[in-house]
């Protein structure tokens, strides 16, 4: 209710600023008895952490996670699991120049309007650094989902467009996403994006991106009509990620250009007593409830608002100023948003799995 | 938490099925002392109600609203306001043929998977008929917002694309939206869409649409970082509307194709101690908080899944069947979704206004 | 969040004023497929309804309930169930005299302070008439609980003290509670209470009461540490009933006078692989979680604040006035609070059962 | 929703086990711009911390609090404030003997039933050690309340009964509560309680207690009818404290023995345009809403269940066992519950103040 929590039965509450002592989150509602693989959570954080290639911010953070509660002898106990990540590479002096200036495209002006004051160091709470907490919660959620649903459950994301240059879906290979610094599922796009991003960095500019996330092995029945629909909650989850300006499910905006007979995914018996869908324009969600097909979402990430190119703005005294952002930052925040998007999808799905189990029992669940 | 409510401090809980005795909602958290214009709420419902042109479903419902509580001597009392709308034109026999069949693209299959049974009459709870409750709550919210913020506050929506045919934004005229059955802001598109939709109806097919909604006079400061952001809550609100598959804020997906210096909305002094933005790619929201600019959102509505063109499906026994939907329905549900989208935006904004006032006091508010 | 709802996964939202057109509630989260016995819900309402003996208010209300949604072919569908009860015997003129006066002990003054205006007719929203909505929701909850847990589940309440005259627990007979107008479990107390209450009515006075409620067949494991404990939620549920000023669980305040070795309920094997408790000072709840023993709660109900004996007060202009309440009312609101307390306990238990099932699966549940 | 959070607009989420690495909480919704007195928070924790007299557990914990976020240059920023308290004096070997045994009166059995496993070290999550997190959140809430309401606002608590020996209310002196280890407001009771408690410790037994808390300077208007009443939320808040078995507001259970004319607090003009109440049987709350009078609550704390006197129980294999609890513990947990009760009252009041301000604006507030 107060804004820093996500989820209902499975819920995490995050805290921390970019340049404060630490960030983290408290996760409530984890089912008990799940073996916790702490190393896997750290690996998820490592995928998101900065400084891993020349294409992301050069801030150096280990993002080493400490688990403070909720685990006993390697198993979740059902009580809150708190994650703590210390900040170690704050350089607050980088931000002194912009403490009294509102960086265009940033949250500086709106935080100041809302709260009457703000922590200017690295964007304070509005920094994407907060997303480390999401990744920790998401990695936990994914482990629980695999425990409950079996290894057929999987959430994975990819960058499908950067700076207006889209991948070729015919070349899609999920295996590629771990072999390049862009989470690109298309090996051939990598050199193009490298060149593009090197130019962007040289210009002191930035670019946007589009991310696609899919979840496999999601049982049918998740999602609460009519407001807490699975797609509505996914839209909220993904739109809450820093710099995201659009979300679509399945065919998304393209579905608005299809005829009804093209768009409606036909069904046929799967020969094993179940149903097979002939297409997935719905992105695995019908009437707000999962259908058993892969859940597919895409999100648009705007270009980083931190720029070396001067922009017109005003200061807190209302005077016109030019703003240049010299702090370390990502030329394309969309890249590191891929593991964040995966995390939010995992959290959403686990929350809805528990809600489904609560209201409806275990009807459709594998176990 | 249970899925049929939207909002926090200002919240409504809806009930009702397409062919049950009634639908409606209970609205909690209305500020006290607001003069309630019941006729205006009825007019809002009339904008959404079916059967107003040959381009919407021919079901005849007056959608006459009765207010059961929360108002005394014409003023809101602060206690729950319950809206009741009786269903009067149910023809349940229309749906007997599809009671055991899953209509492709509909929620039939997923409700059955989730609940183990379903009310097949007109789609039951999954019918867009539920959106009448949203419109009543939204019309109430808009009245309260205008009472609190002054007449500068305004929410309005338009259909900007139908069946892949977009309006010409250069001809945009909000005044047109009340003069045609499509809520089109472009008079010249109307005959094209009429022809298009007549053809679609003749074919027994359907088309999708794109809606744009904007809110003017929204004060800066609304939205709770980092999860209950205004844009995140708008995304949820709009994605929860039946048949919506995509939501974007401001430049949305297009922002992913802009450079940082193009996308970041520059600011300058407005000459009156405030700030003027030079563009609005952000759609009035920065860091999840309103900036004082117009809040702009777009949503993609898929084509109606009810079709006279036969589609392959399965029945509850797992057998292959052909499905044709003979019940009355809209060939383009996007049209009547315009007032629904406006309503959801109003509810979101009022909820966040009250939350802002709760945490921060009245710092930036006009009154 | 807005105050008129109770519960989380199973939640009801109530509406309605004492002298408005109607009252009722919307219940979200009912498990699907439960046969709904509408007559049983009506019977529960009849137990609470006014005018059944000379010991309750003489207002005549049938409290006939209409179900507007959420049921199809006699089974719950999992979608919201809306209950509507029309008011039929409002006599608002009775209350004109007190519209500008604050009745001592009533909510008149605090509603006026909070909202700046109030509906004076019969107390408006603060009237105990609202509790009819609770009874409908509770009767539904009890049916669902018996469906899920079996017929061993039972919630029942009794009046154990009125006007300072307590029953003799040695004579406790649950069967008696349906044979007298007081829900007294002790036949011998009935004539005493009749005499007492006749005198009270003659004096234009009122008396308080103590209610005891117990739930049998509650599985172990319900309740969420550490804030949403079962006892904490029961305390909230019962304290939210009009005129309740105290709640205790198990031995309650008496446990504060026991030594640890007297208070701690010893356990022994029950011979069937389970556990038997040797006493129940805990009232069936340990650490906020049900133990499988009967859940026992007591609540103190203050005397009705509506009196024919003049009381000093002030009016809305701040002038001293004498207040006499001539409207119809109960000389002991505690009597009719018995079915209300039962209802709130049922709602609490079902909500926690669903939450337990959500987080922990069905470990300890009978089915 | 998941159980480890309390509050709505102002909410804290706690984490941590008795013998885990740390405990703490994340507080959301703190109003911005409030000067934070960290030393005062530490002092509040020191009042609750163990080992301060021979009458509490001999565990030695500094309970030194670290603030991880939400504060910038000494002011609250409106973003989450995370409190971290490291555990330093765990002696887990003390608990090995009871890992497979259910201590009577403890949560051992119910946690095991609920979760299927439990952390036996010091009671794990069910330990009253968790209440340190509440005290930190409460001390913050109290500071905010004094900032918003002025220094007339005050929450204070006292032990009014221990082991069945009650204070003499005629001797009540709030000043005494800081001069003895019992928070007793009656100097003359202290030697009696010392003797009592020395005997209890020698016996390996324990005793219960009754606490009274009052809040002064609470404006009228706080509390949401009809479920989130101020008294209902206080009842939940206080009943959620470990070992509490009863809560009453104002005259509480005694009001059930009064006549209506005795119980209803008469009002008269206060000579300054306001209202003066002639008594406070209501405990400052009418119809669930604060009246402006002191808010008064009492809570019953059962005797500590940890005993050196052997008790019958069973083990996890269902076999009969004798249980003796050798770990360090308080002979009367009621003593250290006094600052915890104060903390919960502060949190409740701030949450309701923000909710009131959200829905109703600032009508009745001092500023």
């Amino acid at each position: 209710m107060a804004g820093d929590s996500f989820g209902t039965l499975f819920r995490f509450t995050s805290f921390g600023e970019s340049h404060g002592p630490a960030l983290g989150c408290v996760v409530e509602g984890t089912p008990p008895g799940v073996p916790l693989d702490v190393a896997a959570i750290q690996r998820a954080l490592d995928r998101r952490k900065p400084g891993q290639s020349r294409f992301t911010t050069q801030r150096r953070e280990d993002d080493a996670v400490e688990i403070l509660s909720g685990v006993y002898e390697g198993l979740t106990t059902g009580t809150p699991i708190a994650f703590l990540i210390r900040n170690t590479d704050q350089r607050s002096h980088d931000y002194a120049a912009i403490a009294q200036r509102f960086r265009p495209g940033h949250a500086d002006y709106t935080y100041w309007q809302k709260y009457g004051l703000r922590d200017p160091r690295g964007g304070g709470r509005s920094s994407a650094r907060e997303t480390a907490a999401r990744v920790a919660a998401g990695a936990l959620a994914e482990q629980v989902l695999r425990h409950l649903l079996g290894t057929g459950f999987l959430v994975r994301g990819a960058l499908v467009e950067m700076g207006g240059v889209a991948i070729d879906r015919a070349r899609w290979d999920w295996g590629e996403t771990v072999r390049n610094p862009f989470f690109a599922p298309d090996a051939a796009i990598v050199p193009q994006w490298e060149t593009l991003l090197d130019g962007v960095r040289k210009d002191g500019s930035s670019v946007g991106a589009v991310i696609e996330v899919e979840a496999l092995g999601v049982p049918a029945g998740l999602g609460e009509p009519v407001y807490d629909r699975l797609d509505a909650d996914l839209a909220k989850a993904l739109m809450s990620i820093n710099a995201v300006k659009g979300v679509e499910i399945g065919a998304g905006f393209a579905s608005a250009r299809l005829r009804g007979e093209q768009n409606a995914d036909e069904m046929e018996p799967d020969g094993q007593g179940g149903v097979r869908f002939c297409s997935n324009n719905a992105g695995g969600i019908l009437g707000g409830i999962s259908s058993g097909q892969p859940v597919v979402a895409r999100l648009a990430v705007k270009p980083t608002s931190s720029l070396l190119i001067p922009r017109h703005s005003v200061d807190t005294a209302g005077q016109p100023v030019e703003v240049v952002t010299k702090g370390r930052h990502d030329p394309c925040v969309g890249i590191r948003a891929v593991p964040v998007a995966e995390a939010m999808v995992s959290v959403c799905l686990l929350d809805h799995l528990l809600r489904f189990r609560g209201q409806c029992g275990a009807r459709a669940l594998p176990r």
Side-chain angles (χ1 to χ4, degrees), chain A:
Chain A
M1 186 62 30
D4 299 279
S5 299
F6 189 86
T8 58
L9 281 190
F10 181 80
R11 175 167 64 180
F12 71 101
T13 303
S14 91
F15 64 89
E17 279 80 39
S18 176
H19 287 56
L23 59 89
C25 63
V26 182
V27 185
E28 298 167 85
T30 306
V34 180
L36 192 70
D37 182 346
V38 181
I41 293 173
Q42 188 62 58
R43 282 198 301 276
L45 284 162
D46 291 347
R47 289 182 75 215
R48 191 214 70 96
K49 79 177 179 188
Q52 304 203 95
S53 79
R54 70 179 188 273
F55 304 111
T56 60
T57 175
Q58 295 308 298
R59 178 170 173 173
R60 293 281 165 186
E61 291 287 355
D62 279 343
D63 283 356
V65 68
E66 182 185 8
I67 295 178
L68 300 175
S69 61
V71 182
Y72 181 64
E73 297 186 340
L75 298 178
T76 61
T77 60
T79 63
I81 296 175
F83 293 110
L84 180 69
I85 299 168
R86 293 277 174 183
N87 287 322
T88 59
D89 185 25
Q90 310 100 309
R91 295 188 197 163
S92 295
H93 57 279
D94 283 352
Y95 295 91
I98 49 99
Q100 303 303 321
R101 298 167 173 219
F102 302 123
R103 294 169 297 166
H106 275 282
D108 301 349
Y109 176 72
T110 53
Y111 267 66
W112 187 76
Q113 284 287 324
K114 182 180 189 72
Y115 297 119
L117 78 172
R118 68 188 174 95
D119 176 349
R121 301 166 301 164
R125 181 75 177 149
S126 72
S127 165
R129 181 133 187 76
E130 185 271 343
T131 58
R134 304 179 186 226
V135 170
L140 169 61
E142 196 195 10
Q143 288 187 30
V144 175
L145 283 159
R146 290 171 74 87
H147 181 79
L148 295 176
L149 298 174
T151 53
F153 177 81
L154 181 66
V155 172
R156 56 191 182 184
L159 208 68
V160 297
E161 183 181 317
M162 184 166 61
V165 181
I167 60 146
D168 181 348
R169 299 183 78 89
R171 289 193 302 249
W172 192 297
D173 176 359
W174 279 106
E176 287 300 323
T177 58
V178 299
R179 293 189 205 108
N180 63 71
F182 304 116
F183 304 103
D186 168 4
I189 202 91
V190 174
Q192 293 182 60
W193 283 359
E194 287 177 341
T195 304
L196 169 72
L197 215 48
D198 282 333
V200 163
R201 286 170 57 227
K202 194 177 148 201
D203 296 343
S205 181
S206 64
V207 287
V210 177
I211 294 167
E212 184 165 321
V213 184
E214 72 170 24
L216 306 179
V218 177
L222 309 195
E224 302 296 320
V226 297
Y227 297 104
D228 295 352
R229 292 171 192 244
L230 181 56
D231 41 7
D233 277 342
L234 284 171
K236 175 169 180 171
L238 297 173
M239 192 69 93
S240 80
I241 299 172
N242 307 52
V244 172
K245 300 302 287 184
V247 177
E248 52 183 16
I249 303 294
F253 277 85
S255 71
R257 282 129 213 168
L258 297 176
R259 290 253 166 166
E261 63 273 22
Q262 298 168 307
N263 183 67
D265 306 308
E266 292 184 294
M267 289 177 269
E268 58 187 24
D270 70 356
Q272 295 165 337
V275 162
R276 177 165 46 228
F277 289 86
C278 306
S279 55
N280 190 13
N281 289 310
I285 302 173
L286 287 165
I289 303 169
S290 64
S291 66
Q293 285 194 282
V295 170
V296 180
R298 265 178 309 284
L299 47 153
V301 186
K302 72 176 185 181
T304 317
S305 298
S306 298
L307 299 164
L308 290 173
I309 299 168
R311 296 283 89 191
H312 293 295
S313 187
V314 296
D315 62 19
T316 54
Q319 296 304 306
V321 291
E322 274 208 337
V323 173
V324 172
T325 309
K326 291 191 179 136
R328 299 159 297 177
H329 57 260
D330 293 270
C332 176
V333 283
I335 301 170
R336 287 170 57 217
V338 172
V340 181
E342 294 168 350
M344 294 305 290
V345 170
S346 290
V347 168
C348 249
L349 289 171
L350 179 54
D351 188 31
H352 275 287
L353 181 67
L354 301 188
R355 293 170 75 172
F356 173 58
R357 195 162 71 166
Q359 190 189 3
C360 299
R363 182 175 312 106
L365 302 184
R367 65 165 91 173

